[in-house]
Amino acid sequence: MAAPAYLARFANSHVRETPPGHAFRLYFRGWKNDWTLEKERKYEALAPLEQLDKAVVAGLCSVRRRQRELANLLGMWSAQGKSTSPFTTGLGIEHPLENGFAFLDPYGLPYLPGSAVKGVLRRAAEELALFETDNGGWSIPAVWWLFGFDANSAFFARDGNDPEPIRKERSRWRDALRHRVEEVGGEGLDLLDPFLRLACPLKSSSSATVVEAVCSWIPDGTRAAQELREIHTRGALEFWDVIPKPAGGKLRIDIMNPHYGHYYQGGQPPGDWGSPIPIFFLTLPVGSNFTFFVRYRPPIAWPPVARQYFEQLQDEKPRWQALLAAAFKFAFDWLGFGAKTAVGYGRMMDRGAAHPQLPRPQAPRPPRATTEG
């Protein structure tokens, strides 16, 4: 193990109580004395991380509890998810085992970055707004107000040297955006017009100009609108990092078993005679619990019409909460969180949303008696 010399004087319990992130990265056990990797011992290097020590589980619960209490003080909205398939994230982080894992410093605990949560929820909101009959109230103007404007969205992506299936998918997104914008009206237009006035002021205030302006942003082949680079707006939603609670206090070791390394790396013809080389990586097991915290904090420059729309009560809840609940449900059912979602990882079961819990007002304390000398 690559560890400072003073750790050798500690009892074995100190090493056992090391958080998994520290053991995985700082004190990795796969090195040989000459600092080469023992390929035959990759699994053995990960095996000690599977069962979390009681001290690690206690620290994880403490961090989760502190996060929940702070979220309650801020009146944040939260959603609960339970994994129905293994969960993994951060595989692209560099590591001697080829696949990394996202651990939160300085705690060394598994986590899902808030930026990743925002990306999944934004995609869910866009798909609801463009393709779903039951859109949960979502529209493209609502996406831009709550998540901010993103010039890299699928419907703004240019065609490059991509395979034909990707080009067709991008064309489908562009056609859906054009169709939704051209038929916008009522509350949708009431949201779209002030957004464009705020993001890129128009010369005319007519609805036709608003629709034409958005349609002009949709790229035509390889051409992208120059105006997209000049739009910078922040959304109203803030997403906190998610610290999951692994089921059973354990991590899980999964395996990728590529059979065609001689074809992908060696340039040889593909065939079933290849020798598979197992690749091990860390996951969280099925049944792990996830708590997502979201804060509604619109920018100061928001016009009154946007605030009134998203803060209007529906079933005794602000509209932004209903929209967020619909996006989470869609993400749980169809998208998943973390890495390798295309092959079934990161699927979750919706365990419901929690309303913000504002702190109870405390009675003022009586003034302390003072003694004058």
Side-chain angles (χ1 to χ4, degrees), residues 118-287:
K118 181 179 180 180
V120 174
L121 267 294
R122 183 190 187 94
R123 181 63 176 236
E126 289 176 345
E127 292 200 21
L128 284 169
L130 295 180
F131 303 111
E132 297 299 318
T133 303
D134 182 10
N135 58 18
W138 280 102
S139 64
I140 289 300
V143 174
W144 291 342
W145 281 113
L146 290 181
F147 288 91
F149 187 84
D150 183 10
N152 296 317
S153 295
F155 36 73
F156 292 141
R158 296 179 300 169
D159 286 335
N161 298 324
D162 299 311
E164 186 62 24
I166 295 180
R167 296 166 66 92
K168 289 182 177 180
E169 180 66 11
R170 287 177 174 171
S171 178
R172 187 174 74 96
W173 278 77
R174 295 176 193 142
D175 293 341
L177 175 64
R178 186 179 292 105
H179 174 70
R180 293 297 187 185
V181 171
E182 289 177 349
E183 69 176 10
V184 70
E187 291 182 335
L189 188 59
D190 292 340
L191 286 179
L192 185 59
D193 182 69
F195 179 84
L196 265 69
R197 291 178 179 274
L198 181 65
C200 50
L202 302 177
K203 298 180 180 179
S204 174
S205 61
S206 65
S207 60
T209 304
V210 172
V211 173
E212 291 173 358
V214 176
C215 290
S216 68
W217 298 344
I218 302 175
D220 180 14
T222 59
R223 181 186 62 84
Q226 181 69 23
E227 191 175 8
L228 293 178
R229 302 180 181 180
E230 302 173 359
I231 302 177
H232 305 283
T233 62
R234 179 179 73 83
L237 300 179
E238 296 179 353
F239 295 84
W240 278 12
D241 295 338
V242 178
I243 304 175
K245 183 179 180 181
K250 297 180 179 180
L251 301 182
R252 164 175 159 162
I253 301 176
D254 274 20
I255 182 175
M256 288 185 283
N257 206 17
H259 287 68
Y260 304 103
H262 62 286
Y263 167 64
Y264 290 112
Q265 299 179 1
Q268 303 178 19
D272 57 4
W273 57 82
S275 177
I277 302 177
I279 300 176
F280 301 99
F281 62 98
L282 288 175
T283 68
L284 267 62
V286 175

Side-chain angles (χ1 to χ4, degrees), residues 1 3-4 6-20 22-23 27 29 48-49 53-56:
M1 179 173 61
Y6 65 82
L7 283 182
R9 298 192 295 269
F10 286 170
N12 290 333
S13 60
H14 288 78
V15 178
R16 187 176 64 253
E17 295 173 1
T18 301
H22 300 342
Y27 311 134
R29 293 173 176 264
L49 303 180
D53 188 79
K54 293 182 178 180
V56 176

Side-chain angles (χ1 to χ4, degrees), residues 21-40:
H22 300 342
F24 182 68
R25 296 183 301 178
L26 298 178
Y27 311 134
F28 178 61
R29 293 173 176 264
W31 299 117
K32 296 197 304 185
N33 291 335
D34 59 354
W35 294 104
T36 58
L37 182 63
E38 298 184 62
K39 297 182 179 180
E40 298 78 11

Side-chain angles (χ1 to χ4, degrees), residues 264-318:
Y264 290 112
Q265 299 179 1
Q268 303 178 19
D272 57 4
W273 57 82
S275 177
I277 302 177
I279 300 176
F280 301 99
F281 62 98
L282 288 175
T283 68
L284 267 62
V286 175
S288 299
N289 292 317
F290 294 73
T291 303
F292 301 85
F293 293 107
V294 185
R295 186 182 182 186
Y296 175 75
R297 194 166 68 90
I300 299 177
W302 260 31
V305 62
R307 293 181 180 271
Q308 294 171 4
Y309 178 83
F310 290 107
E311 296 173 9
Q312 181 181 2
L313 295 182
Q314 293 184 339
D315 297 330
E316 300 182 354
K317 296 184 297 182

Side-chain angles (χ1 to χ4, degrees), residues 58-117:
L60 185 146
C61 293
S62 177
V63 173
R64 283 171 52 90
R65 182 172 59 253
R66 187 162 65 246
Q67 186 186 49
R68 182 175 63 252
E69 292 176 354
L70 181 57
N72 289 338
L73 287 175
L74 296 175
M76 298 181 68
W77 186 89
S78 66
Q80 305 290 332
K82 186 174 183 179
S83 62
T84 57
S85 67
F87 167 86
T88 186
T89 183
L91 295 182
I93 299 175
E94 292 186 357
H95 192 270
L97 294 183
E98 300 181 41
N99 290 280
F101 193 85
F103 290 101
L104 180 63
D105 292 328
Y107 307 106
L109 300 174
Y111 88 114
L112 176 63
S115 57
V117 178

